[in-house]
Amino acid sequence: MTTSVSIKDLSLNFGNVKVLESLDLEVAQGEFIVLLGPSGCGKSTLLNCIAGLLDVSDGQIFISGKNVTWDEPKDRGIGMVFQSYALYPQMTVEKNLSFGLRVARMPKEEVEARVKRAAEILQIEPLLQRKPVELSGGQRQRVAIGRALVRDVDVFLFDEPLSNLDAKLRNDLRIEIKRLHQRLKNTMIYVTHDQIEAMTLADRIAIMKNGVIQQLADPHTIYNKPTNLFVAGFIGSPSMNFLKGDLNGGTINVSGTPIPLTNYAFEQQLNGAAVLGVRPEHVAIGDEARKMPFQVESEIEIVEPMGADTVAWTKLGGQQLTFRAAAEVHLEPGQKVLIGFDPARGSVFNAETGNRI
Amino acid sequence: MTTEAISSRLPTGAIDTSGPRGPRPKSVTIGRIGVYAFLILSALFFLLPLWVMVVTSLKTMPEIREGHLFNWPALLTFDPWLKAWDTACTGRDCNGLKPGFWNSVKITALSVPVSIVIAMINGYALSFWRYKGSELLFGILIFGAFVPYQVVIYPLIIGMRELGLFATLPGIVIVHTIFGMPILTLLYRNFFASLPIELFKAGRVDGAGFWGIFFRIMLPMSVPITIVAVILQTTGIWNDFLFGTVFAGRENMPMTVQLNNIVTTTTGIREYNVNMAATILTAAVPLVVYFISGKWFVRGIAAGAVKG
Ligand SMILES: Nc1ncnc2c1ncn2[C@@H]1O[C@H](COP(=O)(O)OP(=O)(O)OP(=O)(O)O)[C@@H](O)[C@H]1O
Ligand SMILES: [Mg+2]
């Protein structure tokens, strides 16, 4: 597979503030990469560096094999979609779409053909003569995507394109972006802090924290084998249970409750303070629990019915444990239930470094 | 169970429906009377001098000497207006306000566009093309707004003289442009700063440069703020007296200066009616500008002129 975007040793400072530090990232041709992370971790900054809207402090950026570190945004073969749409308010949709092409002095017929094609793909043909104020949020975002589409670029950059939309529209457009990607097969780099968007859209997710990529992997690996406590806690809702304990000879002792980690694929040997991470959806109760390698009797404290399922709060060895149960299961506070899970499906972290072991 | 189901089972007669319904009737309160009384009194306070000016300018000198200040003229005459415009004397010249009017038109028509175009570009560059020291430059510019004119006038005279621009039309235009710069730049910078930065980024990704973004994206958006700027500058420059006296020279003396000369020239009797007519003529331009543009002005201000 060929490389589409390649970032080597990239650093960016705003004055004394180091936002990105020696960051490396390789994106394959046609890949959908999602940059995910909490607010202020440098996602937009990274995207702006790739787009050429920010001058990098150090490092190099290659797009389609060409070193574009010093190139203007228009010469990089990128299109960008912004969170606030950034449509030119005085121009009609058609003029908005064709602006970049007209700036590049493309022949009129070619401009028309491209605008027509983009409008067709995004189903905004009836809106071409309207001004942005006369459009709904979803329509505006389509136009914004169309503006990148007409330029026929290799790489699409999205900066939280859906976060100004309501939940329903966000779902619809998410599917459309996915469809667009399957149809066009462009490289897409997509910034979000919505983990559902990340999980559903991405070929690979880059989880960022303080300007550093914590883990870069496919959604399945990110979810099941988080590389450290930050990634483990960031992905998943409700978030992963962290049981602190002492790891000794393949058994972790969680405040007096020994949990044998049979079949867990250790990546390194460690004895000492450790954290066992268990996803709420991997905890079973009742008859299901009886089949699990580890079982324990516990008392329900809080019950949160979510509709599709129920989240219950309990304690294991004095530490908070939440689990997800089917909606039909009747649970109430004070009830004693048998819960169980397979420690091999969990994640064990070094308590000191926070890294997976 | 749905809510319709509940309400449909309630007996309809249980609620007394004869009470208040629809918009509440407007009542005249003491407070409202007070507000109107205050507004009417203030309007009178400002309109009374204008009334006196208008009626005086339409009276003959003998009637003015009778001293009935507020009365409508017994003998209506437009001669004072004609004289003020055409033949009133300033020193030796007896051409009325006419030359001054055309000088003011020339000065205003040149200074307003020049100063606004420069301020617009300044504001645009300062808010979108941040460069090293741009904040400092802006700070200095704003500081300029607080420097008393009197401090800079003398050095400016020397400078203009050295450039050979003292007492010329380009000279006075440059002076107006310089002194309008701080406030106009502030106005435009704040307007552009209120626009989303992503609009500018989108323009760059689309391949437009400094001027491309300025002319094709920013300029069409800055119509409301430009109306505000035009009004501010037109009235400001038209009403200017100080710079006109100092920098314009005899040839380009603006209307305000000429008005002053007419009013202060005393050859024999003081012609109050001519003075009044001349004053109204001079004030007419800003007045008309305000009347025509009041609505736009408010709209422009509301469009973010005073934001930030
Ligand atoms: N122009 C700037 N000057 C100084 N610091 C900045 C500037 N722009 C961003 N930063 C800082 O850089 C860091 C990263 O910002 P960035 O916008 O990339 O975050 P983000 O991950 O996109 O967050 P969000 O999810 O809120 O959009 C933040 O701490 C921010 O305060
Ligand atoms: Mg951001």
Side-chain angles (χ1 to χ4, degrees):
Chain A
M1 214 188 277
T2 53
T3 316
S4 171
V5 177
S6 165
I7 293 158
K8 293 195 200 301
D9 199 26
L10 182 78
S11 298
L12 187 123
N13 315 329
F14 287 116
N16 304 326
V17 190
K18 289 185 176 148
V19 178
L20 302 174
E21 235 184 313
S22 5
L23 186 142
D24 291 288
L25 180 67
E26 299 271 318
V27 183
Q29 179 69 45
E31 194 175 21
F32 201 123
I33 286 270
V34 171
L35 304 176
L36 181 65
S39 194
C41 71
K43 308 180 296 284
S44 300
T45 306
L46 175 57
L47 209 65
N48 280 315
C49 287
I50 299 173
L53 294 167
L54 281 175
D55 280 334
V56 304
S57 307
D58 198 7
Q60 296 177 309
I61 298 167
F62 295 83
I63 295 176
S64 309
K66 183 172 148 233
N67 186 338
V68 296
T69 314
W70 291 347
D71 286 359
E72 277 293 298
K74 68 170 168 24
D75 303 321
R76 295 188 176 209
I78 52 123
M80 192 155 174
V81 179
F82 299 91
Q83 177 178 352
S84 67
Y85 322 126
L87 299 179
Y88 311 124
Q90 309 294 328
M91 300 182 199
T92 60
V93 169
E94 186 180 1
K95 290 275 184 289
N96 260 284
L97 291 177
S98 63
F99 182 70
L101 308 180
R102 285 183 286 129
V103 169
R105 300 188 192 287
M106 186 176 279
K108 220 172 166 190
E109 306 78 59
E110 173 78 18
V111 173
E112 270 167 23
R114 287 204 190 183
V115 168
K116 189 156 171 286
R117 174 172 167 266
E120 240 169 58
I121 293 177
L122 295 164
Q123 295 165 0
I124 49 174
E125 289 144 305
L127 311 175
L128 281 179
Q129 297 313 320
R130 292 208 203 161
K131 290 260 180 81
V133 282
E134 299 159 348
L135 302 177
S136 71
Q139 291 168 334
R140 280 179 213 184
Q141 200 50 277
R142 268 169 231 255
V143 177
I145 294 172
R147 209 163 47 177
L149 208 60
V150 288
R151 296 185 53 239
D152 217 5
V153 289
D154 305 324
V155 181
F156 275 63
L157 306 173
F158 293 91
D159 193 355
E160 308 201 26
L162 306 184
S163 50
N164 278 2
L165 304 174
D166 63 57
K168 164 113 179 47
L169 210 53
R170 206 181 302 173
N171 286 342
D172 296 349
L173 266 158
R174 199 176 69 214
I175 301 293
E176 263 183 62
I177 290 177
K178 188 155 191 159
R179 197 171 284 148
L180 193 71
H181 180 239
Q182 286 175 357
R183 175 169 174 185
L184 300 175
K185 305 210 163 49
N186 289 46
T187 308
M188 296 194 173
I189 302 179
Y190 187 107
V191 166
T192 182
H193 53 234
D194 181 328
Q195 45 170 306
I196 311 278
E197 269 171 45
M199 297 296 279
T200 52
L201 288 171
D203 293 325
R204 282 194 300 161
I205 301 176
I207 307 251
M208 288 180 70
K209 180 192 172 191
N210 297 336
V212 178
I213 295 181
Q214 305 288 313
Q215 187 170 12
L216 174 63
D218 60 283
H220 185 80
T221 309
I222 295 262
Y223 181 79
N224 290 298
K225 291 196 160 42
T227 185
N228 59 30
L229 280 172
F230 175 78
V231 175
F234 194 76
I235 288 282
S237 168
S239 52
M240 187 184 259
N241 296 297
F242 292 131
L243 303 167
K244 293 182 201 66
D246 259 321
L247 181 61
N248 208 331
T251 298
I252 185 167
N253 192 323
V254 177
S255 320
T257 313
I259 305 175
L261 301 171
T262 357
N263 294 335
Y264 180 81
F266 278 103
E267 287 163 17
Q268 40 178 289
Q269 289 302 320
L270 179 98
N271 283 336
V275 177
L276 170 65
V278 181
R279 294 242 174 249
E281 42 276 39
H282 292 165
V283 179
I285 64 164
D287 289 341
E288 288 291 315
R290 266 178 248 288
K291 298 179 204 152
M292 290 294 177
F294 174 78
Q295 301 162 16
V296 69
E297 186 84 16
S298 69
E299 187 181 317
I300 308 260
E301 288 180 341
I302 298 174
V303 179
E304 294 180 300
M306 302 276 187
D309 48 24
T310 301
V311 174
W313 297 62
T314 172
K315 286 226 160 72
L316 196 163
Q319 295 184 34
Q320 205 59 257
L321 182 90
T322 59
F323 64 87
R324 224 185 246 271
E328 305 80 58
V329 181
H330 181 77
L331 295 171
E332 60 185 48
Q335 191 182 351
K336 288 236 174 1
V337 291
L338 184 73
I339 59 171
F341 56 84
D342 181 2
R345 287 185 81 186
S347 302
V348 185
F349 304 97
N350 181 334
E352 258 170 55
T353 62
N355 290 333
R356 184 184 186 86
I357 50 177
Chain B
M1 198 191 296
T2 63
T3 44
E4 287 101 321
I6 299 172
S7 60
S8 68
R9 277 193 298 137
L10 280 176
T12 37
I15 296 166
D16 178 15
T17 53
S18 63
R21 175 185 175 138
R24 196 161 70 171
K26 304 246 180 313
S27 56
V28 186
T29 62
I30 299 286
R32 197 162 278 269
I33 293 173
V35 167
Y36 278 111
F38 175 75
L39 289 178
I40 290 167
L41 279 177
S42 347
L44 281 179
F45 181 79
F46 287 105
L47 285 175
L48 219 55
L50 184 65
W51 170 256
V52 172
M53 284 174 75
V54 171
V55 293
T56 307
S57 73
L58 297 171
K59 288 174 186 170
T60 56
M61 277 312 288
E63 194 181 342
I64 291 172
R65 278 191 213 98
E66 285 168 23
H68 303 297
L69 206 57
F70 298 102
N71 287 8
W72 184 250
L75 195 71
L76 203 63
T77 168
F78 290 99
D79 288 345
W81 287 74
L82 292 175
K83 186 169 183 196
W85 176 253
D86 225 17
T87 59
C89 293
T90 59
R92 273 170 293 133
D93 309 325
C94 288
N95 298 321
L97 276 174
K98 198 173 40 183
F101 174 82
W102 290 114
N103 285 338
S104 275
V105 168
K106 265 189 270 180
I107 293 171
T108 309
L110 285 171
S111 307
V112 170
V114 169
S115 57
I116 286 180
V117 166
I118 295 176
M120 210 180 234
I121 298 168
N122 266 350
Y124 163 68
L126 283 171
S127 46
F128 288 120
W129 298 85
R130 299 256 167 85
Y131 44 90
K132 234 189 166 75
S134 62
E135 289 294 312
L136 183 70
L137 188 74
F138 183 60
I140 293 171
L141 207 60
I142 295 313
F143 180 71
F146 297 106
V147 175
Y149 294 157
Q150 290 78 355
V151 175
V152 266
I153 281 188
Y154 185 60
L156 205 57
I157 293 173
I158 308 280
M160 284 292 170
R161 192 190 61 202
E162 293 305 310
L163 291 168
L165 291 171
F166 184 68
T168 62
L169 187 60
I172 180 78
V173 169
I174 289 173
V175 169
H176 278 306
T177 305
I178 291 173
F179 283 97
M181 212 39 54
I183 184 72
L184 287 182
T185 304
L186 180 69
L187 196 73
Y188 274 103
R189 195 204 81 118
N190 285 353
F191 173 74
F192 287 126
S194 73
L195 300 178
I197 183 87
E198 295 188 337
L199 208 56
F200 164 75
K201 289 182 176 178
R204 285 194 65 196
V205 171
D206 268 339
F210 183 93
W211 295 111
I213 294 174
F214 178 66
F215 282 112
R216 300 170 84 158
I217 302 172
M218 297 303 167
L219 210 57
M221 291 183 72
S222 46
V223 172
I225 195 72
T226 301
I227 291 171
V228 174
V230 168
I231 295 165
L232 273 180
Q233 279 299 81
T234 308
T235 54
I237 293 172
W238 191 275
N239 288 339
D240 158 68
F241 178 78
L242 181 62
F243 299 140
T245 324
V246 179
F247 292 98
R250 288 191 61 81
E251 291 299 299
N252 307 301
M253 204 156 274
M255 201 172 185
T256 45
V257 178
Q258 205 136 29
L259 169 69
N260 177 63
N261 293 350
I262 289 178
V263 173
T264 52
T265 301
T266 41
T267 47
I269 47 163
R270 227 178 236 288
E271 292 179 296
Y272 290 108
N273 49 3
V274 175
N275 290 352
M276 293 298 177
T279 308
I280 297 172
L281 279 173
T282 310
V285 170
L287 270 179
V288 167
V289 170
Y290 281 131
F291 275 125
I292 294 177
S293 60
K295 206 196 243 168
W296 288 335
F297 191 79
V298 172
R299 230 182 265 167
I301 293 280
V306 286
K307 221 176 113 188

